[in-house]
Amino acid sequence: MDKKYGVISLTSKIDNYPDYGLGIISSPVAVNLYVAANLINSTLDKVAKEVWIYVIAVIAGLIFLTFFPQISLYFPVASGLYIP
């Protein structure tokens, strides 16, 4: 599927990790929010109000990696683990 749309396979795999992180810290799943609320003996609403800055940061990073895939490929190429 990656070749069909002209996407580098390794880049699409690297971009999946912020997607997973975003899914874990945002609703409706929000597994991390339930755990954090339980650990600090707080309500889910209070924890959810504090996590939005991280959600925005992950979205910004994901957009940045999507439009500039060379950034996510720098270390694999520099170390010789990946040859484009």
Side-chain angles (χ1 to χ4, degrees):
M1 183 172 172
D2 294 336
K3 291 180 183 180
K4 180 179 177 182
Y5 295 107
V7 177
I8 300 170
S9 180
L10 181 63
T11 304
S12 67
K13 304 303 184 277
I14 291 172
D15 289 348
N16 281 342
Y17 290 105
D19 291 335
Y20 300 149
L22 188 62
I24 289 174
I25 63 173
S26 62
S27 297
V29 178
V31 174
N32 287 356
L33 295 183
Y34 289 112
V35 172
N38 191 19
L39 286 175
I40 63 172
N41 295 324
S42 181
T43 64
L44 185 63
D45 293 335
K46 289 181 182 178
V47 175
K49 288 178 184 175
E50 301 296 328
V51 80
W52 286 108
I53 188 70
Y54 298 107
V55 171
I56 292 169
V58 170
I59 290 172
L62 186 59
I63 290 170
F64 195 68
L65 284 176
T66 301
F67 288 111
F68 302 105
Q70 300 85 3
I71 295 170
S72 62
L73 292 176
Y74 175 75
F75 288 113
V77 169
S79 63
L81 296 173
Y82 180 75
I83 301 171

